Amino acid sequence: MSTPPSLPANNPAESLQEFVARTAQRDLGHGVFELESPRFLEVNLNGRMNTKTGSMVAYHGDIKFTREGMLDHGVGSLLKRAISGEGMRLTYADGNGKLYLADQGKKIIILKLQNESLIVNGNDVLAFEGSLQHKITMMKKIVGMMAGGLFNVRFDGSGLLAITSHYQPLTLRVQPGRPLMTDPNATIAWSGNLNPTLKADVSLRTFLGRGSGESMQMRFEGDGFVIVQPYEEVYMQTTGG
């Protein structure tokens, strides 16, 4: 496996030939999912792949893209999308070839689930294999509809899953008797055995217009883990298909 040439620290300029060689795509032989860089995912497609709508950057080969239908996962899923106004929107990539995905320059993490469960913020799902069962979930409290990032996807089974994070994520343990509170806008994913609740912490700062994610918190109890990012992501409300 060849290593791309590095740029000399004392000479930031490089020839066009050097730039092309340094940034060229390389076959790493890692299987279906390969990281071309920390922010570019290469999918070696042979069949169907579920991808986040709008994440396709480029592709080689014979690939057809189909937008997920609003009723593909039933009326219940449709209602959850309508209430939340945002969440994971899928495009099916079918065919054979190489597909390159990215999402706003966010760091990409490839996970291999082995008969396991993981719940992921809908905005942080990039791609996943069809062998994984997925189901849209929402926080039970109605106040959850007021906060971004509470439209989640539960994955069960075995298969590859690519998720995204602003910068390097941190995984925090949750242990019995030691609950963990997180900012909803910084929470990426958590183990499937945890069922978080929402905790409102409204203070004077909130009414003065200085409130942030601290005024609404996710509370995790039990035995598991939570993945957070060093960034409070603001989720834009969208409508329609």
Side-chain angles (χ1 to χ4, degrees):
M1 180 177 65
S2 61
T3 302
S6 59
L7 187 64
N10 60 349
N11 182 17
E14 59 185 327
S15 69
L16 181 57
Q17 183 177 4
E18 289 170 333
F19 171 80
V20 171
R22 181 172 60 84
T23 61
Q25 179 269 335
R26 287 170 172 79
D27 288 322
L28 304 177
H30 291 171
V32 178
F33 283 177
E34 292 186 7
L35 282 179
E36 283 293 326
S37 79
R39 293 168 175 80
F40 266 111
L41 177 68
E42 177 185 285
V43 180
N44 293 299
L45 187 64
N46 182 19
R48 166 168 287 195
M49 184 62 62
N50 301 297
T51 69
K52 182 177 183 177
T53 298
S55 64
M56 188 277 287
V57 175
Y59 69 92
H60 288 294
D62 184 14
I63 302 177
K64 179 182 178 182
F65 299 93
T66 307
R67 186 78 172 266
E68 178 188 39
M70 290 296 288
L71 290 173
D72 280 10
H73 299 288
V75 175
S77 174
L78 175 62
L79 291 175
K80 289 173 184 176
R81 290 178 187 271
I83 291 171
S84 69
E86 52 85 28
M88 180 185 68
R89 298 186 181 276
L90 290 179
T91 293
Y92 305 127
D94 292 282
N96 293 274
K98 291 185 179 293
L99 172 62
Y100 300 94
L101 305 176
D103 185 14
Q104 302 180 53
K106 294 164 70 175
K107 183 179 178 66
I108 299 170
I109 302 106
I110 300 175
L111 302 173
K112 184 178 182 181
L113 300 188
Q114 302 180 74
N115 196 26
E116 296 166 298
S117 299
L118 185 71
I119 299 175
V120 184
N121 185 306
N123 197 56
D124 297 318
V125 176
L126 182 63
F128 60 95
E129 292 187 301
S131 58
L132 286 173
Q133 298 179 16
H134 68 285
K135 179 182 179 182
I136 296 168
T137 66
M138 288 184 68
M139 303 297 290
K140 293 181 179 179
K141 290 186 178 180
I142 193 169
V143 71
M145 301 172 192
M146 300 168 58
L150 299 182
F151 183 90
N152 308 304
V153 185
R154 181 184 177 95
F155 293 96
D156 292 281
S158 300
L160 294 174
L161 167 64
I163 65 175
T164 58
S165 170
H166 284 282
Y167 312 106
Q168 182 67 27
L170 175 69
T171 300
L172 299 170
R173 285 285 302 167
V174 180
Q175 298 175 318
R178 295 188 62 189
L180 173 70
M181 269 65 68
T182 68
D183 183 331
N185 292 341
T187 306
I188 297 175
W190 56 91
S191 50
N193 60 310
L194 296 179
N195 293 304
T197 57
L198 282 171
K199 176 175 178 269
D201 188 10
V202 180
S203 65
L204 181 61
R205 290 181 64 231
T206 304
F207 292 107
L208 291 176
R210 299 177 57 196
S212 65
E214 288 79 15
S215 62
M216 185 69 66
Q217 301 166 4
M218 298 177 73
R219 179 184 176 95
F220 294 88
E221 294 184 90
D223 188 2
F225 62 86
V226 180
I227 305 171
V228 295
Q229 63 184 0
Y231 185 92
E232 293 184 19
E233 190 165 6
V234 178
Y235 302 92
M236 300 300 293
Q237 294 295 313
T238 60
T239 58

